Amino acid sequence: MLAIEKKRLNELLRRMNRDFQVYVPYLENGTGKFAPYQEERELYLEMNTLLPPKDIFFPQTEKMYKFRAAGNELEIEEIAEQKEKQVVFGIRSCDAFSIDCLDKVFLSRGYEDAFYKNKRENTLLVGLACTAVGDTCFCQSMGLNPQEAVGVDLQVLDLGAEWGFKARTAAGQELLAKYGDVLHETGASPLPAEEFKLKVEVEGVPEKLSRMFDHPVWEEVSRKCLGCALCTYLCPTCHCFDVSGKVKGEEGYRFRCWDSCMFSEYTRMAGGHNPRPTKKERVRNRFMHKLSYFVERYGQLLCTGCGRCLAKCPVNMDITAVIRKIKEAEVE
Amino acid sequence: MNANPLVPIRGRIIKIVQETPDVKTFHVSTTGGEKPFAPKPGQLAMLSLPQAGEAMFSITSQGPNHLELAIKEVGQLTGALHQVEEGQECGIRGPYGNGFPLDYLKGKDLLFIGGGIGLAPVRSLINHCIENRAEFGKMYVVYGARSVADLVFKEDLFENWPKVENMEVYTTIDRPEEGWTGHVAFVPAYVEELGFKPMTTITCGPPIMIKFVLQALARMGFNDADVITTLEMRMKCGIGKCGRCNIGSLYVCLDGPVFTLEQLKKLPPEY
Ligand SMILES: Cc1cc2nc3c(=O)[nH]c(=O)nc-3n(C[C@H](O)[C@H](O)[C@H](O)COP(=O)(O)OP(=O)(O)OC[C@H]3O[C@@H](n4cnc5c(N)ncnc54)[C@H](O)[C@@H]3O)c2cc1C
Ligand code: SF4
Ligand code: SF4
Ligand code: FES
C-alpha cells in the first residue's frame, strides 16, 4: 500500500492544493468543520466534524439568478458559478454515504439540479477511516463500514505512524500517481476501528413504519421536541430548501437556502391550511422520511448513523431510541 | 425550458382577463411571442415576478402562442400580479407534474365537477377534450361558486361549452341572488340531485367541497379508480428536490398533482 508519514501529510496537501481547491477538517472555536486548506493550520483528524461537509455541494444559501426589473421589463441572468476542480479530504464513511443520498435526490428522477451537479462533478472525495468511534456513532448499525466509505475516490487508512492510501476509482488512482513522489510503499497494516458503543437493529423498520402512520407512538415521541430544527441543520442527509429573493431598487437576486420540515410554516399554504399543523406530524414526517419514505423512493435509508442529531439535540431526541420504540411497537 | 430547471425563462403577459373580483386570467408568452412550453392538460407552471415572488399555478388553457393561468389574489405575489398591466414581463418555468391520464380517459364518458377557482385545472382537460371531441364520450360539467360574481370562465360556461356537441353544462351558486335564474345549491348536493350514473369523474375545488363531493360520489356508486382529483401542497422547486410537497414517499409536484381516489386512499392522509 502507498503511504505517507503522518507528520508529512501537509506536504501532500500543499501539493494537492496547487492543483485543486482542497477542503479539510479543522477545529474552529471548538466546532469541527470542513474549510479550504491553509498550510499553517492544524488539521482536525481525531474525530468526525460536528458540521457535515454537505455545504460544499449544497451551500446553506446559494444564489440562483439575478434580475433587473424596470417598468414592464425584466432581465434574468443565471448565476452559474464555474466550479474549479476540488478535493474533499478526510470525509468519514457516514458523510460519504450521505453524499450518495444527496446524489439520488439532486441527480436522479427526471430532473438534475444544475447547481449541485456543477459542484459534485468537479469534486473528488478522499475518505478517512475511523479508528476511534464516538459515543453517538452508529453507522455500522446502518449498514456502513467505518473504514471503507461508499463512493469515495481514495480511502485513507490509519497505519499508526503513517496514513495509507487505497484508490477506489480511476480518478483516485490518478491522484496517487500524480503525487507518487511524496508517497512510499509500506507493509504496515491498518488499525481496526474500536467496538461501537451504540448499536441498533434497523432490519424490518422501513416496512413496519409503512403501517405505523396512525400509531400512538408519534404522540409520545414528539412530546419533548422543541421544533428548533437543529437536528435537520446538522444532518448530513437533510436536503430541504426554501427559495426566496432579495430586492434592491430595480435589481435583485433569487436564492435558495436550507429549510427544515420541523418548522410549522414549512407546509402552511396560502389561506392558512396546514397539512402538518402540530409537532406530532412534523416529527413523524422527519422519522418517516429518513427511515421509510426515502427507502420506498430511492432504496436506501436517509440516516447514515453519524450521530450528530442525538449528540446535539437540546432535549436528547435519539433516533436510535426511536428505532427501538418502532421495533417494539404493536401494530395490527 | 431553461437548461437549469430552477431558473425561469423570460415571459410576457400579453393579455389579462378579469374573471371575478379577485381572479384574473393571465395569458403568458415568451418575450419572442412564442408559447413558453407545451404542457399536457393538468400540468403546472411556476410564474414569477422576481421582485415579488414565485408560485405554482395550474395551466388552465393554452393557445398556439401562449399559456393561460387563472390566479386568485391572496397574497404578496398574487397581489403584485393583480397590479400589473398587459405587456408586463415575468419569469416562467415548467411544465411540472404528471397531468391527466389522457390515454385512460379516451373513449369514456366524463363528468367534470369544479368549485370556485378549482375549475382552473379541470378546464385544461375540458378544453383538450373539446379540441379532440371525437376521442371522448359524453361530457358533463357541474360547476359552482359562492355567487354569480365568483363564477370563473363565464364565457366558456355560458357560451362556448353549451354549444359543444354531446356536452351538458350545469352551473349553480350557493345562495339565491337577484337576477339569477339558474340553480341554487352547493356543488355536492347538485351532483347528487342530477343523479349521474357512475362514470369517470374529474373534480377540483376547495378542500371542503372535495370532501363532500367524494362522499356523494361514493353514495352514488362511483368507483375510486375512476374518480380523479388534483391536489395542492406548498411548493418551491417543482422538480422533486426541495422536499416541500411530499405526501408519504411521493412528491405532488412530480408524481401529482393528479391522483385517482384509489391512489389517494393508499397514501398517508396528510394533505
Ligand atoms: C399544484 C398547485 C396548483 C395551484 N394552482 C393555482 C391556480 O390555478 N390559481 C391560483 O390562484 N393559485 C394556485 N395555487 C396557489 C398558488 O401557488 C399560491 O400558493 C397562492 O396563489 C398564494 O400566492 P401568494 O404568493 O400571492 O401568497 P403569499 O404571499 O404566499 O401568501 C399567502 C396568503 O395566504 C394567507 N396566509 C398565509 N399563511 C396564512 C396563515 N397561516 N393563516 C391564514 N392565512 C394565511 C395570507 O393572506 C397570505 O397573504 C396552486 C398551488 C399549487 C401547489
Ligand atoms: S434538535 Fe431535538 S428539539 Fe430540536 S427539532 Fe430536532 S428533535 Fe426537536
Ligand atoms: S438523522 Fe441524525 S444520525 Fe442520522 S444521518 Fe441525520 S444527523 Fe446523522
Ligand atoms: S415543490 Fe420541491 S419537492 Fe415538490
Side-chain angles (χ1 to χ4, degrees), chain A residues 146-167:
Chain A
Q147 300 218 316
E148 190 60 69
V150 173
V152 295
D153 298 289
L154 206 57
Q155 177 72 52
V156 181
L157 294 161
D158 190 342
L159 309 178
E162 301 156 307
W163 295 114
F165 297 91
K166 279 194 170 162

Side-chain angles (χ1 to χ4, degrees), chain A residues 268 270-272, chain B residues 56 58 70-72 74-78 117 232-233:
Chain A
R268 187 154 64 209
Chain B
M56 193 69 101
S58 307
I71 298 178
K72 186 169 175 148
V74 294
Q76 221 181 324
L77 170 67
T78 52
I117 197 178
E232 224 182 280
M233 288 288 269

Side-chain angles (χ1 to χ4, degrees), chain B residues 9-264:
Chain B
I9 58 168
R10 267 169 86 207
R12 181 176 288 136
I13 297 168
I14 53 165
K15 186 175 167 189
I16 302 175
V17 181
Q18 184 95 41
E19 301 285 351
T20 75
D22 61 1
V23 176
K24 287 181 180 178
T25 300
F26 296 81
H27 294 225
V28 183
S29 288
T30 63
T31 44
E34 292 167 354
K35 177 144 69 175
F37 39 81
K40 291 194 293 179
Q43 284 193 304
L44 309 159
M46 272 285 193
L47 184 70
S48 54
L49 290 175
Q51 324 79 294
E54 179 179 51
M56 193 69 101
F57 300 97
S58 307
I59 300 163
T60 183
S61 194
Q62 54 184 306
N65 300 316
H66 76 276
L67 304 174
E68 291 178 29
L69 313 173
I71 298 178
K72 186 169 175 148
E73 182 175 1
V74 294
Q76 221 181 324
L77 170 67
T78 52
L81 279 167
H82 274 245
Q83 297 289 317
V84 306
E85 289 172 4
E86 289 174 0
Q88 172 70 44
E89 294 181 0
C90 58
I92 188 161
R93 56 189 182 93
Y96 298 126
N98 55 358
F100 291 106
L102 295 180
D103 288 338
Y104 178 76
L105 299 175
K106 267 191 195 142
K108 295 197 164 65
D109 291 345
L110 302 174
L111 170 60
F112 301 94
I113 305 172
I117 197 178
L119 187 57
V122 180
R123 179 177 176 244
S124 66
L125 180 58
I126 296 175
N127 284 349
H128 172 89
C129 294
I130 291 172
E131 276 160 34
N132 303 275
R133 192 65 199 91
E135 289 178 15
F136 301 90
K138 266 205 97 154
M139 286 160 63
Y140 306 88
V141 176
V142 183
Y143 172 67
R146 270 174 309 177
S147 68
V148 176
D150 288 306
L151 295 166
V152 292
F153 313 125
K154 290 192 181 69
E155 199 182 318
D156 282 338
L157 287 170
F158 298 112
E159 290 180 35
N160 302 338
W161 294 349
K163 288 189 200 130
V164 175
E165 200 187 333
N166 258 331
M167 177 164 179
E168 293 170 20
V169 182
Y170 301 91
T171 29
T172 178
I173 57 173
D174 289 359
R175 270 172 291 278
E177 214 174 291
E178 212 171 312
W180 173 254
T181 53
H183 201 81
V184 177
F186 290 121
V187 171
Y190 196 24
V191 168
E192 239 172 333
E193 197 182 316
L194 287 164
F196 297 102
K197 61 174 192 340
M199 68 180 108
T200 302
T201 302
I202 298 91
T203 182
C204 185
I208 186 79
M209 182 207 91
I210 301 263
K211 186 175 157 199
F212 289 115
V213 163
L214 296 182
Q215 287 176 6
L217 295 178
R219 279 194 295 275
M220 294 161 76
F222 281 57
N223 184 340
D224 288 351
D226 265 331
V227 175
I228 298 168
T229 188
T230 86
L231 291 186
E232 224 182 280
M233 288 288 269
R234 239 182 119 169
M235 294 185 180
K236 287 289 178 177
C237 71
I239 58 173
K241 313 291 185 207
C242 78
R244 179 95 30 178
C245 67
N246 79 296
I247 301 177
S249 66
L250 300 186
Y251 288 111
V252 176
C253 66
L254 210 57
D255 309 305
V258 176
F259 295 95
T260 66
L261 186 53
E262 188 184 36
Q263 290 170 321
L264 284 185

